[in-house]
Amino acid sequence: MLIRQGDVLLVPVTTIPAGAIQVARDAGRVILAYGEVTGHAHAIVHPDVTLVSDEQAGELRMWMQVTAPEPVELRHDEHDTLLIPPGTYRVIRQREYQSADMAPLQVAD
Amino acid sequence: MPTRIDKLTKAQEAQFDAHADKWIEIGLRTGKADREKFEASVRDCYGFAGVPFPDVVVWVPSPMVLSLAAPSAALAIELIEAERRGALKPGTARAAVDGAVGDAVYAAVGGAVYAAVGGAVGGAVYGAVSGAVDDIIRRSWMRRFGGQLWSGGWYYGGAWTSFFREVCKLEIPGDTWDRARAYEGTIESACWWWPHRRFVMVCERPVAIHRELANPDVVRGWGSHRLHCEDGPAVVWPDGWGVWSWHGVRVPQHVIEQPELITAQQVLAEQNAEVRRVMIDRMTPERFLGELDAEPVQQDDYGKLWRVELADDEPLVMVELDNSTVEPDGSTKTYFLRVNPECRTALEAVSWTFDQKPSDYVLVAQS
């Protein structure tokens, strides 16, 4: 049961790998992804949300924990606000194919 | 007069919109900068900071010129002073300044012309110093103040601080409000500025700013407006430097002004999905797909799959997706994403873009 906002997908999971490091907030907001040419971001302002990341084989992986007792708002200027229920999620960025001999490229917007 | 505020009154809250609008107007000012006011305000800022005012205020026509010229000038001053102290070999400063000028020309004229001229004339000198100059510019251009473009800001923004002073009549001991007024004066009078102990470089206001209301339900605040101009730069400064934007997406000039020149190959070479979407929008999806000779393969609730057979290469397979959020004007943004050519359906393609199995790609919410 997945949640998608634009190029960001939230996949419920049960655990986060040990060693994942907390990602700092930006101006008080948890940012799941930034937009390069629009300045917009997929962001949560609720205080009871934590974003962590680790790097495996050069790939940056992210997880989000919502510890608030109620669903929190995931906002973006160009998408409708979504309510994210409490829980743990893998945060997956959309990707694009490049070629058979190159790794997929993260979608930039 | 309160000396501490823990809660705003209803009357103060009722002033939010009027106060915001006042500072929005300041942020969007175009035309000539108020040079007299800026120079007086910035002089006060130096005074409050305890730094002697340099008495040299250099006005430049755009943020691009400021970003190149201010760090270059700072570097040149450092080198010249070092030469005078005997800490640097004579001639080094001149070579570095040549490099700085070269960089500015490079930015203005473009790689091909510069490479031709630079290769013939200044290769050796440029090669010796350009790395340093490049580095200085890259590391220090952002040490500017935003002027009118920081009228909102966060806790340091003019709109924020002046609300407590002007609306709430908050009293703060000492000269804090005088300091705030000096800084606010720089916001009210000019655009970007770059302070240095030997000079202040400051940028004129834009000549024009074109915006559109992004959401009729939100007339001010985050996401209320976006830069948009259909036939020229959305923001432009007196020297012609500017930003081209299509409904809030920053794009190259020709995408706005000469969409007939956009080719499908240019679209495929563009790595940013939003820019690519705008390019297709501007050239029309029909021409984009027609130039590629793309064949529709399959369509389902998730999107439409297109396939392009390429000579001597693997096929190009793209999925056409509609944004789940409908635009305020009722339209829908359409994206084309390249996917693994083994995908046979739009569902397979979309789930591949998120590294999911099609059977797992079950959404409970999307926007």
Side-chain angles (χ1 to χ4, degrees), chain B residues 36 76 124-125 161 173 277 317:
Chain B
E36 204 175 314
V125 174
T161 50
R277 176 183 62 75
V317 176

Side-chain angles (χ1 to χ4, degrees), chain B residues 97-307:
Chain B
V97 173
D98 281 351
V101 173
D103 274 10
V105 173
Y106 182 88
V109 179
V113 177
Y114 182 80
V117 176
V121 182
V125 174
Y126 184 79
V129 298
S130 70
V133 175
D134 271 356
D135 194 44
I136 291 287
I137 290 174
R138 266 201 300 274
R139 281 192 290 125
S140 44
W141 69 269
M142 74 289 283
R143 290 180 186 168
R144 85 291 185 197
F145 287 88
Q148 67 180 102
L149 301 185
W150 286 3
S151 55
W154 293 94
Y155 54 88
Y156 52 81
W160 203 80
T161 50
S162 67
F163 184 83
F164 292 101
R165 188 182 68 243
E166 294 174 2
V167 176
C168 305
K169 311 293 183 192
L170 178 66
E171 274 191 17
I172 297 178
D175 60 3
T176 303
W177 283 136
D178 295 328
R179 291 169 179 252
R181 278 195 202 88
Y183 178 60
E184 288 164 24
T186 64
I187 297 171
E188 290 165 352
S189 55
C191 197
W192 281 18
W193 57 281
W194 207 92
H196 186 270
R197 65 192 157 78
R198 301 294 293 272
F199 66 88
V200 179
M201 200 169 283
V202 53
C203 171
E204 283 286 348
R205 287 187 179 128
V207 175
I209 302 175
H210 299 284
R211 304 181 310 155
E212 65 173 4
L213 189 60
N215 183 348
D217 298 331
V218 185
V219 295
R220 61 175 76 73
W222 292 113
S224 68
H225 289 76
R226 51 195 182 191
L227 289 176
H228 177 67
C229 183
E230 301 198 353
D231 54 8
V235 188
V236 61
W237 274 265
D239 62 355
W241 187 79
V243 172
W244 283 259
S245 178
W246 185 259
H247 299 301
V249 178
R250 188 159 39 84
V251 293
Q253 180 175 358
H254 79 282
V255 172
I256 300 287
E257 296 183 1
Q258 293 175 295
E260 67 280 5
L261 298 185
I262 303 170
T263 65
Q265 289 307 323
Q266 285 175 3
V267 173
L268 295 178
E270 169 58 52
Q271 294 211 330
N272 188 288
E274 281 287 345
V275 174
R276 206 165 50 218
R277 176 183 62 75
V278 171
M279 291 171 84
I280 295 171
D281 196 22
R282 295 291 285 155
M283 74 182 294
T284 74
E286 290 74 22
R287 185 157 74 80
F288 170 67
L289 295 166
E291 278 187 20
L292 292 173
D293 211 10
E295 291 288 335
V297 175
Q298 188 269 350
Q299 187 168 6
D300 56 32
D301 292 344
Y302 294 87
K304 189 169 182 179
L305 200 64
W306 294 88
R307 187 178 178 93

